[in-house]
Each structure stands twice: as C-alpha cells, then as structure tokens.
Amino acid sequence: MTRAGGRKRARPGEGARLRTELLAAAERILDAEGEDAVTVRGVAAAVGVTTPSVYLHFASRLELLHAVCLGVWDELGRCMSDAASDVDDPFSALHRRCVTYIAFGLEHPLRYRLVMNGRATEASRQVAADCFRYLAEAVEPCVAAGALRGDVGELTRALCAGLHGAVALLAPQPPEMWPHDLDTYAANTASLVVFGAAALGRLPDPSATPGSDTLAGLFTTPSVAGAVCGPPGSPTV
Amino acid sequence: MTRAGGRKRARPGEGARLRTELLAAAERILDAEGEDAVTVRGVAAAVGVTTPSVYLHFASRLELLHAVCLGVWDELGRCMSDAASDVDDPFSALHRRCVTYIAFGLEHPLRYRLVMNGRATEASRQVAADCFRYLAEAVEPCVAAGALRGDVGELTRALCAGLHGAVALLAPQPPEMWPHDLDTYAANTASLVVFGAAALGRLPDPSATPGSDTLAGLFTTPSVAGAVCGPPGSPTV
DNA sequence: ATGTCAGGTTGACGGTGACAAGTAGCGCGC
DNA sequence: GCGCGCTACTTGTCACCGTCAACCTGACAT
C-alpha cells in the first residue's frame, strides 16, 4: 500500500492518536460490513497507513476487534448502574438490571457475540468480570433482604447464565428471526431468571429432581392454596 | 500434495466412503487441536487426499465442521428423549431434560460453540429446531397439567434461552474456570430455568417490574406464610 | 476394446495474519 | 544549529488459507 493521501507522521507522544483512528475505522467497517470484513489490511488502508503499523498498537487482529467492542461495553456498565438508581426495592432493582443487560445485548448483537463467543482474550475476561460484578452488586441487597437465598456468587453465576442465554440465543440469528416484541422478551426472560433464582434458595434439596409437588409448595399463595396445582398426585398429562 | 501412502481410488458407488473418512479425520483434529486447527488442507492430508477433493463432499469448510458436530448432536436428541422416559411427573421430566441439555453441552463444549455461536448454516438451523422441539415436547405436558402456564412456544423459548446460557457461558472458557461440581451446576441452572418458567405464568403483570411483594406472594407456602419474606413493605437493604 | 463417468488430481488465484528489518521525522541536549 | 536518539511508521516478505477451473484416471458396462 503506497501512502494514501500523505498522512502526517504523529509527533512523539501522540502515537496513541493512530490507535484511536484505527479503532474508529474498525468500528465503521464492523458496523457496515460485519465481523469478517474487519481485516488488518482493510483497517490500515482506511486510515491511510500500512498494515504492520496496526501491530504497533494491537497485538493481533482479535485484540483490535475486542478493543472496538470494549468502548460499547463501558456503556453497559453505566446503563446497569443507572437502570435501578430510582428503585428502592432490591428485587425490582435486580430485575431492572437484568432487563437492561438483555436489552443492551440485543442492541449490539454483533459486538456481544464478538466479545462473549470468541476465544477469550484479556479484554473479554475483563468484560465478563465487570458484568458479573454489576449483577452481584444487585444480588447482594436481595440476599440481605431475604428475597434471594444462598451464596451470592453462585446466584449471580446462575443469573449470568440465564441472561447470557437470552442474548446469545438470538445474537447469531438474523434479526428477522427475533421475537417481534423485544421489550416483552427482555422483561419475560429477566423475570424467568430472577424468579428462578428466588426459587433456587427455597428448594428443599437443590440438587434433586424437583416435581410438581415442590412446585405446588413454592407457588401456592396463602389465598389460593390448592387451586394453583392439582391435588397431590396431580394428573400426569 | 503428492499422494500420501498410495490411497486406493474408491469404486463407483463408494464415493461416500471418503466423506466419512474426512469426517473422522476432522473430528480427530477438532478434538486434539481445536477449531482453528481444522483446515481443509489438514483434513485432506490426514486422509491422504488432495485438498480440493474435500469440496466434492462438503460445500465449504464450515459445512464440514458442522457436519462433524451434527453426529454428536444426534446423540443429544436420544439423550433428551431417554432422560425422562422413567419419570411420570411432567415437571420432573422437564427438569431432567434440562439437566441433560446442560450436561450434554458441557461434555462437548467445542462442538456446542461451533454449531450455536458461528454463523448459522442450514445444518445449525436444523439442530436448533430439533432442540426446541425436544423441549417443547416436555413443556406441553407441564402446561396441560397446570405446572406451567402460558404459551408453549414462548415458554419453550425462554427455557431455551436459559439453558443455552448455562452452556454458552462456560463453553468458551478454559475448563479450569468452570465450577468444580458440574452436576450441581447443571441441576441448579436447570432448576432456575424451570422454576423461573413456572413463575412466569403466575405473575400478575408479566411485563411490569416485579418487586419483593410479588415474590412474597409467589414463594410463600401456606405453612410458612409470612416467614419467607419480611412483612409487606419489607426492609430495603 | 472401448466409451463413460464417478472419483479423484494439478496448479493456481486472491487474500489473509503476522513479522523482521529498515527508514523518516521530531525533539532534546549541547 | 546540529547531531543524537527515540518513536512512528514503511518496505518487503513469509507461510498459509479457502476456493475454484480444468484436467486426468481407473473401474465398470457393453
């Protein structure tokens, strides 16, 4: 590649400028043409620089890609913190954070896949750890208030699994296969996850196979006791 | 590539034999060295055949990879059908299938990722549809028995999301980062998912933000009413 | 023996990530 | 004002990849 457009050499100390330009170019290409189109050569050319220069700022193509994503993921952190700032009830707050997580993932499916599905890098590990922390922060008050029971770490992990699934199941699919109402999807899945987590701490033996009888115990409110599920030994199919 | 080892030409009608040999070789390489190591050239060489011959049986590298995985996924179908054959209670049966799904995914993390995370092919769509069906088969009796409420499709989709997450969260990580007790992990996450699904149909307004009060209603058994959560207007943190 | 055709091979193209080694420009110390 | 050294970047080059068009060849039916 002959130097395109006579790019000026950065002054010492301004080497990082190329880095940000590369990131911007990579982001542009990523959004416009997808992951596979982001090639080291292409990004370099878009900035007007030769290929190996990219390696002065990024150890590999993957690191470049992940660096592009990280910018967006920082936004997730803020969103999740903000999401429940006006909510007092800890369980509601947790639910809100879960909805936020899902909504965020579905807004950036490409980047989500890139960071979460590919082979792990240092950057992606950082992202995962942050996500875990944001959730754990919301789980802890729930445990303190008695809404959730059990180990905070284990609960958070289970929550993460559920949330990640909600996004990861859709992210690789073309958008036309997504549910029509994404808000409802996010709310539903978030509810599934938080209520599931709540149930976890209330199971007699968490590792046993729970039957409809366990369910009857869990989901029977005092007022409608006995009406929720059939009588003991309820009809099978 | 000079012909390695004097491979005999297959007789007409036996062309499919090379296909199975290629699959076996690809599988060997996949397990031994990971996804990236499975290259068209490498697989061909392992069988003792030239590179373009692979294209006589697989449209592309990705199709080859997916074909390798599909063999294992058929096993999942059998496993999920068998898993609950001796269980009468539909809710227990669903739980068993969920555990089976997670366990399967964690036994074949590499193949799981390959099929579920990569860009979708016809083969992977087929796989996903099968999984959905296996679960839906178990959801339906639950709905019929009243253990679950709501649309079967929607419930199944939510379940899928949770289960997929449980696997997909761990699959890309190196095994040393996995929980120590995978059985418990599978059982826990399966419980979270099925109880969460059960809760979904019992929420007053599924799309609203549920608070601890909702939780109290759901998880209070007649016998321990009032002891599960704090009194109405429970302490916040 | 010969035609046919499935089951391969040859050779090459365009593109990729990665790197070793060289070069040009800037700023600082003198 | 001048050269030294550091930094930012370039040149040139590997090794390898997936994919394809075109050609060859051996086994069988006749």
Side-chain angles (χ1 to χ4, degrees), chain A residues 89 91-92 95 113 119 147 149 154 161 165 188 192 195-196 198 200 202-203 210-212 215 217-221 228, chain B residues 89 91-92 95 113 119 147 149 154 161 165 188 192 195-196 198 200 202-203 210-212 215 217-221 228:
Chain A
D89 182 72
F91 195 73
S92 294
H95 183 266
R113 261 181 66 201
R119 190 148 300 282
R149 298 170 181 178
E154 208 162 310
N188 265 347
L192 178 141
F195 282 110
L200 273 192
R202 292 171 169 80
L203 297 178
S212 292
L215 191 65
L218 281 180
F219 287 111
T220 303
T221 65
V228 170
Chain B
D89 183 74
F91 196 73
S92 294
H95 184 266
R113 261 180 68 202
R119 192 149 299 282
R149 298 171 181 177
E154 209 161 308
N188 264 346
L192 178 140
F195 281 110
L200 273 192
R202 292 170 170 80
L203 297 178
S212 293
L215 191 64
L218 280 180
F219 286 112
T220 303
T221 66
V228 171

Side-chain angles (χ1 to χ4, degrees), chain A residues 46-229:
Chain A
V47 174
V49 126
T50 59
T51 312
S53 302
V54 174
Y55 289 94
L56 297 172
H57 298 281
F58 303 96
S60 70
R61 185 189 101 101
L62 197 63
E63 292 286 353
L64 166 61
L65 275 174
H66 279 196
V68 170
C69 298
L70 285 192
V72 182
W73 280 80
D74 282 342
E75 192 187 323
L76 172 62
R78 269 179 285 120
C79 286
M80 283 186 69
S81 295
D82 294 355
S85 58
D86 60 334
V87 178
D88 281 342
D89 182 72
F91 195 73
S92 294
L94 176 60
H95 183 266
R96 286 276 267 271
R97 286 204 176 189
C98 289
V99 170
T100 304
Y101 182 98
I102 297 174
F104 172 85
L106 296 183
E107 263 173 43
H108 308 282
L110 226 123
R111 288 172 164 81
Y112 189 91
R113 261 181 66 201
L114 205 47
V115 174
M116 297 296 277
N117 289 351
R119 190 148 300 282
T121 66
E122 195 43 52
S124 68
R125 250 187 290 275
Q126 189 60 44
V127 161
D130 284 349
C131 283
F132 189 88
R133 191 163 44 77
Y134 291 134
L135 274 179
E137 272 172 17
V139 167
E140 214 177 56
C142 289
V143 172
L148 296 184
R149 298 170 181 178
D151 179 58
V152 172
E154 208 162 310
L155 284 169
T156 307
R157 191 189 330 244
L159 283 171
C160 277
L163 294 180
H164 174 57
V167 179
L169 193 68
L170 298 188
Q173 315 255 359
E176 63 264 24
M177 303 202 67
W178 290 13
H180 301 95
D181 186 348
L182 289 182
D183 289 341
T184 303
Y185 177 77
N188 265 347
T189 319
S191 292
L192 178 141
V193 164
V194 294
F195 282 110
L200 273 192
R202 292 171 169 80
L203 297 178
D205 178 3
S207 60
T209 299
S212 292
D213 49 341
T214 314
L215 191 65
L218 281 180
F219 287 111
T220 303
T221 65
S223 53
V224 292
V228 170
C229 291

